[in-house]
Amino acid sequence: LMIALKENLQRKGVEFIFKSNVTAFEKNSNKVNAVITNTGKYTADNFVIATGSWIPQVSKMLGINLLLQPGKGYSYTYDHVEKNIHYPAILVDGRCAITPWGHNLRIGGTMELSGINNKVLVKRMQGIYDSAKAFYPGLNIDFPPADKIWNGLRPVTPDGLAYIGKTNEYSNVIVAGGHAMLGISQGTGTGLIVSQLIQDKKTEIDINAFRLSRF
Ligand SMILES: Cc1cc2nc3c(=O)[nH]c(=O)nc-3n(C[C@H](O)[C@H](O)[C@H](O)COP(=O)(O)OP(=O)(O)OC[C@H]3O[C@@H](n4cnc5c(N)ncnc54)[C@H](O)[C@@H]3O)c2cc1C
């Protein structure tokens, strides 16, 4: 999905600059003129802060405080499962999701509030594995090796809703993020709203619930 998305955007003229960390902004009273990074300074008409779990750090560079914390999730992907299941499922009581494709199978879940880090607590993965085995006792999968367990940070706001909107402080800065467990699903809709905000168009939906100043 991500490869297809990236290639599609590149075909449309989007330029990606990888391994480039925003460290500061160049600004005047109510406008940002440039973003300063370790790969150089970039000027633009508009700036979108969409840094997921790092939204508080980046917005703080502009003196804007937003409540948000990372919620770590874990997953493991098996690349050859004999007699694989056929349908994806969210095992709500087991707090995990299980996704087959071909002979592959991904099990993932959990929500660990432990700040920004990529440490793996194996017992978290154990909970996911135990749930999968409890719901699918016939599934022939071993517990994954600790160094192969994947983890990622979901950006979580106090009410679980994203922040989408222009900042009060700077007329050309938009924040878009904090989608917690639904960032992939909701990213396209958020992208549409961001493009409408930049063009000063009426947004597709009322975005009051997502306002930055709600806490
Ligand atoms: C186990 C798990 C399962 C999930 N399953 C689903 C699912 O089934 N469906 C769904 O919709 N969502 C799912 N999610 C949630 C989804 O992954 C997130 O909501 C989504 O990734 C958030 O996207 P984002 O672009 O806002 O933030 P991120 O993906 O966190 O991206 C933020 C980016 O900003 C960069 N960044 C940070 N600081 C700086 C800086 N100073 N300068 C430059 N760049 C910076 C980071 O490096 C990162 O690349 C899942 C998450 C997990 C962990």
Side-chain angles (χ1 to χ4, degrees):
L1 176 68
M2 296 309 289
I3 293 168
L5 188 57
K6 179 179 149 219
E7 288 175 356
N8 186 290
L9 290 170
Q10 282 173 325
R11 273 196 298 277
K12 291 185 168 140
V14 172
E15 186 192 346
F16 291 90
I17 303 163
F18 294 109
K19 303 207 182 303
S20 181
N21 279 319
V22 174
T23 52
F25 292 92
E26 206 175 82
K27 54 192 192 288
N28 57 32
S29 59
N30 74 335
K31 269 199 146 187
V32 168
N33 305 314
V35 63
I36 316 289
T37 77
N38 60 320
T39 55
K41 177 170 118 177
Y42 302 94
T43 55
D45 296 328
N46 291 280
F47 296 83
V48 181
I49 300 178
T51 48
S53 294
W54 295 265
I55 280 178
Q57 282 91 326
V58 176
S59 52
K60 209 178 179 116
M61 295 173 197
L62 289 169
I64 298 167
N65 290 316
L66 291 169
L67 294 178
L68 186 148
Q69 64 173 312
K72 194 191 289 172
Y74 293 81
S75 79
Y76 181 74
T77 304
Y78 296 89
D79 60 11
H80 193 91
V81 177
E82 288 296 339
K83 296 189 184 149
N84 203 1
I85 59 170
H86 296 291
Y87 299 102
I90 294 184
L91 312 175
V92 178
D93 292 342
R95 293 187 177 77
C96 86
I98 183 159
T99 315
W101 70 101
H103 283 293
N104 298 315
L105 180 73
R106 176 170 297 159
I107 58 173
T110 206
M111 176 70 88
E112 178 189 312
L113 301 173
S114 62
I116 291 193
N117 66 74
N118 59 4
K119 273 185 245 145
V120 168
L121 288 183
V122 174
K123 67 176 181 192
R124 289 273 178 184
M125 192 69 218
Q126 187 73 52
I128 296 167
Y129 174 81
D130 290 347
S131 291
K133 290 291 281 183
F135 281 82
Y136 298 92
L139 199 56
N140 188 15
I141 52 171
D142 293 326
F143 187 71
D147 63 335
K148 296 282 189 291
I149 297 170
W150 179 88
N151 72 90
L153 301 176
R154 309 176 186 92
V156 183
T157 62
D159 60 2
L161 290 180
Y163 292 117
I164 310 171
K166 288 194 177 185
T167 62
N168 287 333
E169 295 81 353
Y170 299 95
S171 59
N172 64 340
V173 177
I174 289 170
V175 176
H179 298 79
M181 292 188 278
L182 293 171
I184 307 295
S185 316
Q186 297 178 344
T188 48
T190 301
L192 177 63
I193 290 170
V194 167
S195 73
Q196 291 166 339
L197 288 172
I198 287 176
Q199 295 172 81
D200 284 324
K201 286 186 181 165
K202 185 173 161 27
T203 53
E204 197 77 12
I205 57 166
D206 180 0
I207 57 168
N208 188 43
F210 306 105
R211 69 193 179 281
L212 277 48
S213 60
R214 66 186 186 272
F215 301 112

